[in-house]
Amino acid sequence: MTEAIRPFQLSIPESDLEDLRHRLTATRWPDAETPDDWSQGIPLSYMQEICRYWANDYDWRPCEELLNGWEQFQTVIDGVDIHFLHVKSPHSEALPLLITHGWPGSVLEFRHVIGPLTDPVAHGGKAEDAFHVIAPSLPGYGYSGKPSSPGWSVNKIADAWGQLMARLGYDKYVAQGGDWGSIITRQVGVRDDTHCIGIHLNMISVRPDPDTMGDLTEFEKEALAAAKHYKDWDSGYSKQQSTRPQTLGYALADSPLGQAAWIIEKFWAWTDCDGHPENAIRRDDMLDNVMVYWLTNSAASSARLYWESFGKIRHDTVKVPVGCSLFPKEIFSASRRWSEKTFENIVHWNELDKGGHFAAMEQPEIFVDELRTCFRAVR
C-alpha cells in the first residue's frame, strides 16, 4: 500500500564510518585565510581542529541511539519516501504539533525540545501544555527520499505535510517552523487551514511595508540593516544552491570536511555565539547534524530546495492564528506592523534578548516556553 506507514530504524554500517575516517585523514588542505578572523570563511586552524576531533574522538553511535529512541517512520507521498519522527505525549489530550526544520538543519534541531514538548510535567511544566510531536525530514534531506524529478517546492511540501497529518489521523493540529520550515509552515497555515488551527514562526520573512519607510522604528532600521548584511556578505551559499546545486554537490559529496565547513559556517554566522559557534551549540551537536547530511549523501538533494523555490515563494495572507518569536541574531526579522500586513491574527508576539537562527538548539528552554505560550491561545 502506498499510504502505508512503516517503522524506521537507523543502522549505519561500520564500513561507512571507517570510510569517513579515511577521508578525514586524507584531507587536502587549502592555504590559510589572510585576515585573522572569519571574514573569508571558517579559519583553517579551526577546521583542522574539527577534523582531528571528528576522525579521532567523535562517536556517531550515541546520535544513532538517540534517533532510534524516538518513534521513527517512513511513508510514501507523491512517490517520495518521507521520514518523520512521531513522538507521542503520555498525556492523551496533547495537541499535535507539526514541526519543520530547514537548511542546514535536520530533525536533530529538535533534540533538546522534544522531551519538554511531549512530556512537560517531567520537565517542570503543566500537562495542559503537552504536544504530540511530528517532525518530518524535508524531501531530499536526511532519511527522507530524494525526489528524482522537479517539482518539490515549498508549496508542494506544505501539501505533503497536510497529507501526512491526515494519514496520521490528526484532524486538528498546529505547526511550527524556522528557516525553510518557517516558509513551509506559513503555507501549511494557508493551504490546510481546515485542519491547521495555528502556526508559530521563529523566522519572520515578511516584506517591509513601503508605507513605513519615512517613519521607521529603530527595530525596523536594524532589520533592514541585517537584511542588507545578509544580501551583501552572507547569501553566497543560497545563490549557488538556487542556481547550480548539482555542481556544488560534487564537491560536498566527495569531501566530508567540505560538507562540514559548508554547514558549520552557518552555525557561526547565524547563532548568538559571540564569535565562535561552540559558544552557542555543542561541537558534537554540530557534527551530528553534519553526519546526517554526510551519511545520506544529501548535499545536492538538499540544496535543490533552493532551486525549486527561489522566485516561486508565495506571500499569501495568513488567516489562522500566528505566533512570532523574534530572536536577536536571526537572519531576517520584521516589526509587528509589517507582519500584520501578512498575518491577520497575531496571537503571540515576543522579541527575545538572546538566541539566533537555530533557536531550538541554542535556547531550548526559551523555545519551548514560546511554543507553550503561543499555542495556549488556540487549544
Side-chain angles (χ1 to χ4, degrees), residues 1-163:
M1 293 177 58
T2 58
E3 295 190 359
I5 294 174
R6 312 182 308 274
F8 178 85
Q9 287 274 291
L10 273 173
S11 181
I12 301 301
E14 188 63 30
S15 58
D16 288 2
L17 305 181
E18 292 172 357
D19 174 72
L20 168 63
R21 287 188 284 269
H22 170 75
R23 288 172 181 267
L24 291 171
T25 57
T27 297
R28 186 173 75 156
W29 297 98
D31 55 310
E33 64 285 352
T34 52
D36 186 23
D37 57 30
W38 287 60
S39 61
Q40 290 183 350
I42 300 186
L44 176 65
S45 61
Y46 181 56
M47 284 313 296
Q48 289 177 328
E49 181 183 336
I50 288 290
C51 184
R52 288 191 295 270
Y53 178 81
W54 199 4
N56 300 315
D57 300 309
Y58 170 81
D59 184 2
W60 159 255
R61 296 304 182 188
C63 181
E64 187 176 282
E65 291 175 7
L66 175 72
L67 286 165
N68 286 336
W70 293 314
E71 292 289 325
Q72 298 181 89
F73 302 90
Q74 285 183 330
T75 190
V76 177
I77 299 178
D78 287 347
V80 174
D81 268 328
I82 300 300
H83 164 263
F84 61 99
L85 309 179
H86 188 190
V87 186
K88 292 185 177 181
S89 172
H91 303 288
S92 60
E93 298 303 310
L95 181 62
L97 168 64
L98 170 67
I99 190 166
T100 306
H101 68 86
W103 184 94
S106 67
V107 295
L108 287 173
E109 285 188 48
F110 312 122
R111 66 192 302 165
H112 302 302
V113 301
I114 287 176
L117 288 171
T118 56
D119 193 359
V121 174
H123 295 82
K126 300 178 180 178
E128 53 265 34
D129 287 326
F131 299 92
H132 301 305
V133 171
I134 302 90
S137 296
L138 293 171
Y141 288 68
Y143 293 96
S144 281
K146 300 174 182 179
S148 58
S149 59
W152 279 89
S153 66
V154 292
N155 298 331
K156 182 165 182 173
I157 294 171
D159 290 341
W161 280 190
Q163 291 182 56

Side-chain angles (χ1 to χ4, degrees), residues 220-295:
E220 289 166 343
K221 291 175 183 178
E222 291 174 4
L224 291 174
K228 185 178 187 304
H229 174 81
Y230 173 82
K231 180 181 178 181
D232 292 346
W233 294 104
D234 205 21
S235 60
Y237 78 98
S238 67
K239 188 66 173 177
Q240 181 66 31
Q241 295 193 157
S242 62
T243 57
R244 301 290 187 272
Q246 188 67 20
T247 303
L248 173 68
Y250 297 110
L252 301 189
D254 191 55
S255 169
L257 248 291
Q259 177 71 90
W262 194 246
I263 289 176
I264 291 175
E265 179 195 284
K266 301 313 174 192
F267 287 131
W268 165 77
W270 297 345
T271 59
D272 191 2
C273 69
D274 195 26
H276 197 289
E278 292 179 33
N279 291 334
I281 301 174
R282 293 175 58 248
R283 181 179 292 186
D284 276 15
D285 285 5
M286 289 194 295
L287 285 175
D288 286 347
N289 187 72
V290 171
M291 287 289 281
V292 172
Y293 284 78
W294 176 256
L295 293 172

Side-chain angles (χ1 to χ4, degrees), residues 184-252:
I184 292 164
T185 296
R186 281 174 58 179
Q187 285 303 312
V188 169
V190 170
R191 302 163 82 91
D192 194 29
D193 58 351
T194 302
H195 304 102
C196 178
I197 62 171
I199 65 173
H200 175 274
L201 311 174
N202 60 281
M203 186 182 81
I204 318 302
S205 56
V206 301
R207 295 167 173 167
D209 180 359
D211 292 339
T212 66
M213 291 301 107
D215 181 31
L216 293 172
T217 66
E218 285 304 311
F219 183 93
E220 289 166 343
K221 291 175 183 178
E222 291 174 4
L224 291 174
K228 185 178 187 304
H229 174 81
Y230 173 82
K231 180 181 178 181
D232 292 346
W233 294 104
D234 205 21
S235 60
Y237 78 98
S238 67
K239 188 66 173 177
Q240 181 66 31
Q241 295 193 157
S242 62
T243 57
R244 301 290 187 272
Q246 188 67 20
T247 303
L248 173 68
Y250 297 110
L252 301 189

Side-chain angles (χ1 to χ4, degrees), residues 294-362:
W294 176 256
L295 293 172
T296 59
N297 193 12
S298 57
S301 58
S302 62
R304 289 188 194 114
L305 181 55
Y306 289 74
W307 184 89
E308 291 279 6
S309 299
F310 269 37
K312 305 171 187 175
I313 295 172
R314 298 170 61 98
H315 295 273
D316 305 89
T317 299
V318 181
K319 299 180 183 298
V320 300
V322 178
C324 302
S325 298
L326 288 72
F327 291 84
K329 297 299 183 180
E330 182 55 87
I331 307 170
F332 302 114
S333 195
S335 65
R336 180 157 185 158
R337 64 174 174 171
W338 291 352
S339 301
E340 286 172 344
K341 295 288 185 177
T342 298
F343 307 139
E344 289 191 351
N345 184 14
I346 296 176
V347 297
H348 175 74
W349 184 274
N350 198 11
E351 299 169 17
L352 288 310
D353 60 5
K354 58 183 176 181
H357 186 68
F358 302 96
M361 298 179 78
E362 297 177 62

